[in-house]
Amino acid sequence: MLEILKKRRAIRDYIDKDVEDEKLAILLEAATLAPNDRLREPWSFYVIKGEAKKRYEQLAEEYLNERFPTKPHLVESSLKVVKTTPVHIVVTSDIVPDDEDATKDNEFAVCCAIHSMWLAAEELGLGFVWRTRGVGLVHDDRLHEFIGSPENKKVIGNIFVGYPDEESLNKLKPSKRTSYTEKTTWL
């Protein structure tokens, strides 16, 4: 497991190949095995591919043009990433009305679920990146509307999944991490 954690990277460049539904099912199952308070299982997943992906691309283009009207190159490069990503999975967390603590616990559980998906993706040879800003549209109400405006749901991330582009993988530098010894206080 430690080796998978060490290899895990945010992969943003994909080849033009569909991700099999069987592999997506494994990612989703891995997510549902994550720890969660009182077994509330506070996650929901919205898989975007095919025709829905085309609609998402239009939404992303609208968003990017509004957000970066003076940066056409940024809009173009961001749209390229959106269009070349085979599958998007929007992940939400349940909001518990009148219970802020439970709602926050749910968000933590969903973060664990996403990380479980990431580790499964590594094992399946899939590229994976968890988008929380920008082209992920996580903080834009239009994404919530796009997935059907589910009541009492908060978008936690937009996962981009595909088969990694080998050329881009070869350009990745080893991840430099601070040793746990510098981040740990033993009491």
Side-chain angles (χ1 to χ4, degrees), residues 18-53:
D18 288 336
V19 177
E20 300 87 345
D21 287 346
E22 296 79 18
K23 288 191 176 182
L24 294 173
I26 292 169
L27 296 182
L28 296 165
E29 182 178 9
T32 64
L33 299 173
N36 60 97
D37 187 47
R38 298 183 188 167
L39 284 177
R40 279 193 293 266
E41 301 180 304
W43 36 67
S44 294
F45 309 96
Y46 303 83
V47 180
I48 301 172
K49 56 188 235 172
E51 184 56 38
K53 187 174 169 309

Coordinates of all heavy atoms in Angstrom, one line a residue, residues 18-53:
D18 N -11.7 5.4 -24.1 CA -12.8 5.3 -23.1 C -12.4 4.5 -21.9 O -11.6 3.5 -22.1 CB -14.1 4.7 -23.7 CG -14.8 5.7 -24.7 OD1 -14.5 6.9 -24.6 OD2 -15.5 5.2 -25.5
V19 N -12.8 4.8 -20.8 CA -12.6 4.0 -19.6 C -13.8 3.1 -19.5 O -15.0 3.5 -19.5 CB -12.5 4.9 -18.3 CG1 -12.4 4.1 -17.0 CG2 -11.4 5.9 -18.4
E20 N -13.5 1.8 -19.3 CA -14.5 0.8 -19.3 C -15.4 1.0 -18.0 O -14.9 1.3 -17.0 CB -13.9 -0.6 -19.2 CG -13.0 -1.0 -20.4 CD -11.5 -0.5 -20.2 OE1 -11.2 0.4 -19.3 OE2 -10.7 -0.9 -21.0
D21 N -16.7 0.7 -18.2 CA -17.7 0.8 -17.1 C -17.3 -0.1 -16.0 O -17.5 0.2 -14.8 CB -19.1 0.5 -17.6 CG -19.7 1.6 -18.5 OD1 -19.1 2.7 -18.5 OD2 -20.7 1.3 -19.1
E22 N -16.7 -1.2 -16.3 CA -16.2 -2.2 -15.2 C -15.2 -1.5 -14.3 O -15.2 -1.7 -13.1 CB -15.7 -3.5 -15.8 CG -16.7 -4.3 -16.6 CD -16.9 -3.8 -18.0 OE1 -16.1 -3.0 -18.5 OE2 -18.0 -4.1 -18.6
K23 N -14.3 -0.8 -14.9 CA -13.3 -0.1 -14.1 C -13.9 1.1 -13.3 O -13.5 1.3 -12.1 CB -12.1 0.4 -15.0 CG -11.3 -0.8 -15.4 CD -10.0 -0.3 -16.1 CE -9.1 -1.5 -16.4 NZ -7.8 -1.1 -17.0
L24 N -14.8 1.8 -13.9 CA -15.5 2.8 -13.2 C -16.3 2.2 -12.0 O -16.3 2.8 -10.9 CB -16.5 3.6 -14.1 CG -15.8 4.4 -15.2 CD1 -16.8 5.0 -16.1 CD2 -14.9 5.5 -14.6
A25 N -16.9 1.1 -12.2 CA -17.6 0.4 -11.1 C -16.6 0.1 -9.9 O -17.0 0.2 -8.7 CB -18.3 -0.8 -11.6
I26 N -15.4 -0.3 -10.2 CA -14.4 -0.6 -9.2 C -14.1 0.6 -8.4 O -14.0 0.6 -7.2 CB -13.2 -1.3 -9.8 CG1 -13.5 -2.7 -10.3 CG2 -12.0 -1.4 -8.8 CD1 -12.4 -3.4 -11.1
L27 N -13.9 1.7 -9.1 CA -13.6 3.0 -8.5 C -14.7 3.4 -7.5 O -14.5 3.8 -6.4 CB -13.4 4.1 -9.5 CG -12.2 4.1 -10.4 CD1 -12.2 5.3 -11.3 CD2 -10.9 3.9 -9.7
L28 N -16.0 3.3 -8.0 CA -17.1 3.6 -7.2 C -17.3 2.7 -6.0 O -17.6 3.2 -4.9 CB -18.4 3.7 -8.1 CG -18.3 4.7 -9.2 CD1 -19.4 4.5 -10.2 CD2 -18.5 6.1 -8.6
E29 N -17.0 1.4 -6.2 CA -17.1 0.5 -5.0 C -16.0 0.8 -4.0 O -16.3 0.8 -2.8 CB -16.9 -1.0 -5.5 CG -17.0 -1.9 -4.4 CD -16.9 -3.4 -4.8 OE1 -16.6 -3.7 -5.9 OE2 -17.2 -4.2 -3.9
A30 N -14.8 1.1 -4.5 CA -13.7 1.5 -3.6 C -14.1 2.7 -2.7 O -13.9 2.8 -1.5 CB -12.4 1.8 -4.3
A31 N -14.8 3.7 -3.4 CA -15.3 4.9 -2.6 C -16.2 4.5 -1.5 O -16.1 5.0 -0.4 CB -15.9 5.8 -3.6
T32 N -17.1 3.6 -1.8 CA -18.1 3.2 -0.8 C -17.6 2.4 0.4 O -18.3 2.2 1.4 CB -19.3 2.5 -1.4 OG1 -18.9 1.2 -1.9 CG2 -20.0 3.3 -2.5
L33 N -16.3 2.0 0.3 CA -15.7 1.3 1.4 C -15.0 2.2 2.4 O -14.4 1.8 3.3 CB -14.8 0.2 0.8 CG -15.4 -0.8 0.0 CD1 -14.4 -1.7 -0.7 CD2 -16.4 -1.7 0.8
A34 N -15.0 3.5 2.1 CA -14.3 4.5 2.9 C -15.0 4.6 4.3 O -16.2 4.3 4.5 CB -14.4 5.9 2.3
P35 N -14.2 4.9 5.3 CA -14.7 5.1 6.6 C -15.7 6.3 6.6 O -15.5 7.3 5.9 CB -13.5 5.4 7.5 CG -12.4 5.8 6.6 CD -12.7 5.2 5.3
N36 N -16.8 6.1 7.5 CA -17.8 7.2 7.6 C -18.5 7.1 8.9 O -18.8 6.0 9.3 CB -18.7 7.2 6.4 CG -19.5 5.9 6.2 OD1 -20.6 5.9 6.6 ND2 -18.9 4.9 5.6
D37 N -18.7 8.3 9.5 CA -19.4 8.3 10.8 C -20.8 7.7 10.8 O -21.6 8.1 9.9 CB -19.4 9.8 11.2 CG -19.9 10.0 12.7 OD1 -19.4 9.3 13.5 OD2 -20.8 10.8 12.9
R38 N -21.0 6.8 11.7 CA -22.3 6.2 11.9 C -22.8 5.5 10.7 O -24.0 5.3 10.5 CB -23.3 7.2 12.5 CG -22.9 7.7 13.8 CD -23.8 8.7 14.4 NE -23.2 9.3 15.6 CZ -23.7 10.3 16.2 NH1 -24.8 10.9 15.8 NH2 -23.0 10.8 17.2
L39 N -21.9 5.1 9.8 CA -22.3 4.5 8.5 C -23.4 5.2 7.8 O -24.3 4.6 7.2 CB -22.7 3.0 8.8 CG -21.5 2.1 9.0 CD1 -22.0 0.7 9.3 CD2 -20.6 2.1 7.8
R40 N -23.3 6.5 7.8 CA -24.2 7.4 7.1 C -24.1 7.2 5.6 O -25.0 7.6 4.8 CB -24.1 8.8 7.5 CG -24.8 9.2 8.8 CD -24.9 10.7 9.0 NE -23.7 11.3 9.2 CZ -23.1 11.6 10.4 NH1 -23.8 11.3 11.5 NH2 -22.0 12.2 10.5
E41 N -22.9 6.8 5.1 CA -22.6 6.7 3.7 C -23.0 7.9 3.0 O -23.9 7.9 2.1 CB -23.2 5.4 3.1 CG -22.7 4.2 3.8 CD -23.3 2.9 3.3 OE1 -24.6 2.8 3.3 OE2 -22.6 2.0 2.8
P42 N -22.4 9.1 3.3 CA -22.9 10.4 2.9 C -22.5 10.8 1.5 O -22.5 12.0 1.2 CB -22.3 11.3 3.9 CG -20.9 10.7 4.1 CD -21.2 9.2 4.1
W43 N -22.2 9.9 0.6 CA -21.7 10.3 -0.7 C -22.7 9.9 -1.8 O -23.5 9.0 -1.7 CB -20.4 9.5 -1.0 CG -20.4 8.1 -0.5 CD1 -21.2 7.0 -0.9 CD2 -19.6 7.7 0.6 NE1 -20.9 6.0 -0.1 CE2 -20.0 6.3 0.9 CE3 -18.7 8.2 1.5 CZ2 -19.4 5.5 1.8 CZ3 -18.1 7.5 2.4 CH2 -18.4 6.1 2.6
S44 N -22.6 10.7 -2.9 CA -23.3 10.4 -4.1 C -22.4 10.7 -5.3 O -21.5 11.6 -5.1 CB -24.6 11.3 -4.3 OG -25.5 11.0 -3.3
F45 N -22.5 10.0 -6.4 CA -21.6 10.1 -7.5 C -22.4 10.4 -8.8 O -23.5 9.7 -9.0 CB -20.8 8.8 -7.7 CG -20.2 8.4 -6.4 CD1 -20.8 7.4 -5.5 CD2 -18.9 8.9 -6.0 CE1 -20.2 7.0 -4.4 CE2 -18.3 8.5 -4.8 CZ -19.0 7.6 -4.0
Y46 N -21.9 11.3 -9.6 CA -22.6 11.6 -10.8 C -21.6 11.4 -11.9 O -20.6 12.2 -12.1 CB -23.1 13.1 -10.8 CG -24.0 13.3 -9.6 CD1 -23.5 13.6 -8.3 CD2 -25.4 13.2 -9.8 CE1 -24.4 13.7 -7.2 CE2 -26.3 13.4 -8.7 CZ -25.8 13.6 -7.4 OH -26.6 13.8 -6.4
V47 N -21.7 10.3 -12.7 CA -20.7 10.0 -13.7 C -21.1 10.7 -15.0 O -22.2 10.6 -15.5 CB -20.7 8.5 -14.0 CG1 -19.7 8.1 -15.1 CG2 -20.4 7.8 -12.7
I48 N -20.2 11.5 -15.5 CA -20.4 12.3 -16.7 C -19.6 11.8 -17.9 O -18.3 11.8 -17.8 CB -20.0 13.8 -16.5 CG1 -20.9 14.3 -15.3 CG2 -20.2 14.6 -17.7 CD1 -20.4 15.7 -14.8
K49 N -20.2 11.2 -18.9 CA -19.6 10.8 -20.1 C -20.6 10.8 -21.2 O -21.8 11.1 -21.0 CB -19.0 9.4 -19.9 CG -19.9 8.3 -19.4 CD -19.2 7.0 -19.1 CE -19.8 5.9 -19.9 NZ -19.1 4.6 -19.8
G50 N -20.1 10.5 -22.4 CA -21.0 10.6 -23.6 C -21.7 11.9 -23.8 O -21.0 12.9 -23.8
E51 N -23.0 11.9 -24.0 CA -23.7 13.1 -24.3 C -23.6 14.1 -23.2 O -23.5 15.3 -23.4 CB -25.2 12.8 -24.7 CG -26.0 14.0 -25.1 CD -25.4 14.8 -26.3 OE1 -24.9 14.2 -27.2 OE2 -25.5 16.1 -26.2
A52 N -23.7 13.6 -22.0 CA -23.6 14.5 -20.8 C -22.3 15.2 -20.8 O -22.2 16.4 -20.4 CB -23.8 13.7 -19.5
K53 N -21.2 14.6 -21.2 CA -19.9 15.2 -21.2 C -19.9 16.4 -22.2 O -19.3 17.4 -21.9 CB -18.8 14.1 -21.6 CG -17.4 14.7 -21.5 CD -16.4 13.6 -21.7 CE -15.0 14.1 -21.9 NZ -14.8 15.1 -22.8

